[in-house]
Amino acid sequence: MEGDKASPGETSSVRHCRPDVSDPSSSLETDKNAQLTMEHKRKKLINVLVLGFSFMLIFTAFQTCGNVQETVLSSRNATSNENGYTSQSIIYGVFSVSSITASSVVALLGPRLSMVIGGAIYSLYVAMFIEPMTWSFYTSSVSIGAAAAVLWTAQGTCLTLNSDSTTMARNTGIFWALLQCSFLLGNLHVYISWQGKTHILDSDRRVLFIVLTIICASGALLLLIIRRIPNTTGGPSLEGSILVDKPAWSGFAEAKQALRNSVRLFFTRHMLLLSVCIAYTGLQLTFFTGVYGTCLGATNHLANAKSLIGLSGILIGIGEITGGALFGVVSQWLKRCRTRLNHSAVVVLGLLTHLTAFVLVFLNLPPEAPIAGGIGTDKLSYLHPSVAVALLCSFLLGFGDSCYNTQLYNVLGNCYASDSAPAFAIFKFVQSIMASIAFFYSNYLFLQWQLLILGVVAILGAMSFILAETFAAHLEPLTAVMFTN
């Protein structure tokens, strides 16, 4: 009937307000999609945790090895030709060169398989110290340098694929805190077992490195647990295509493109600015993982100097863990308050922390300590060597390092989320080549000159990071260059 018909406006209003009962399955479908999204987020978090625990085990072995190897080798008989600084210089030199093609290898094999193979080579390197010989010592140094480039590029890719803009800071903090736990276990063994020792026996070395080899191999195997995360958007599954290990023939095109992307990305203004800050992380990596522990072990005025190497490593780890956990928690709290974490402010905090540590190290330890060898030195600096000051410096070195690295990971993961492997390959290329240079000059330079180099580059690195953050909006689009044929 005419009078019963609603006007077009009324019909539209009624239809808009009336619940849609024509498709009762729509709400169930929405609930199902929400549950799938939550499940995928949970799996991604589990992947990040597995990644962190795996690297914690692998680098429990490697970090402890780097911390004590110069002391261990200098305690062997005088006819041995192995030199810890030279080995580390070779490792990071090969690392830097291999980083050029590392993203291609990751594209070819997939991150999971790349990390498992890299972890296995780390295990072989640590096992070599059970009975080191000159040929195996330097051969394994070359091998682990190549493996490290692939391992870390794959790690950066895996972390990015299991994160998004809302979880990158949290996941970076979680991974960083777990990774830096690697400073605790091995160094705790060194601290306890080397108490009162002035000379490291072959039996001490064998026990330590057998334990470290088992730990490292366990970490490599744990990486196999990382799971594939399917895409729920209906488009191509980035996670599905790269986290699953694929046949070699299917990845050559991606490998070639990844190499091209790495070269192009390196010469963008944003990456060149960040590279100065990355270069500093390579120099200070050398100092706190290899040089500082050697300096403590060679300072004869410090009580239980050899054992102090292990305790120093533990304090470095506590500083790293504190920084990683702090910035991960703070960034999430700021997101809830709708405030963005100021990356530059954190880097400046790291700069001030490190400059304080460098001044204290200069005053506390003798200049000859880095090159004193197994016999150590009885000379003094401006202060009588203090264990308390030495351990405070260890904590400051670790905390400052976490300030720089967590923010660099955040920036790279967010800016280059669409294709992260080239960005992280460049990060490791610049960092490792500077670490190689630093380990080389550590054979020759007194402590004060090494600290001067670190201080100058730390300031330049912080300034370049601030410029990269401040003027990022005025630079060329960060990812456009990576997809230009």
Side-chain angles (χ1 to χ4, degrees), residues 59 62 86-103 105 114 117-126 128-129 136-154 425 428-429 431-433 435-436 439:
F59 283 89
F62 183 72
T86 302
S87 168
Q88 293 287 336
S89 180
I90 292 171
I91 289 172
Y92 285 101
V94 175
F95 191 164
S96 63
V97 174
S98 301
S99 295
I100 298 172
T101 57
S103 58
V105 175
S114 297
I117 293 173
I121 296 175
Y122 267 75
S123 302
L124 294 175
Y125 173 79
V126 175
M128 178 273 305
F129 280 91
S136 63
F137 180 69
Y138 291 114
T139 300
S140 62
S141 298
V142 173
S143 299
I144 196 175
V150 175
L151 180 74
W152 279 105
T153 301
K428 287 301 173 181
F429 168 76
Q431 186 183 65
S432 56
I433 198 169
S436 176
F439 272 115

Side-chain angles (χ1 to χ4, degrees), residues 417-429:
S418 57
D419 191 9
S420 59
F424 284 101
I426 291 169
F427 176 90
K428 287 301 173 181
F429 168 76

Side-chain angles (χ1 to χ4, degrees), residues 264 267-271 471-481:
R264 288 174 174 173
F267 289 101
T268 62
R269 285 173 288 177
H270 185 258
M271 186 58 75
F471 300 110
H474 304 291
L475 302 179
E476 67 265 35
L478 300 182
T479 55
V481 67

Side-chain angles (χ1 to χ4, degrees), residues 60-120:
T60 288
F62 183 72
Q63 299 281 25
T64 306
C65 178
N67 203 23
V68 304
Q69 73 172 19
E70 180 64 20
T71 301
V72 166
L73 294 173
S74 62
S75 294
R76 298 183 74 215
N77 62 72
T79 60
S80 62
N81 298 314
E82 300 88 13
N83 181 281
Y85 289 151
T86 302
S87 168
Q88 293 287 336
S89 180
I90 292 171
I91 289 172
Y92 285 101
V94 175
F95 191 164
S96 63
V97 174
S98 301
S99 295
I100 298 172
T101 57
S103 58
S104 299
V105 175
V106 174
L108 191 65
L109 300 178
R112 182 174 58 189
L113 182 57
S114 297
M115 289 188 292
V116 171
I117 293 173

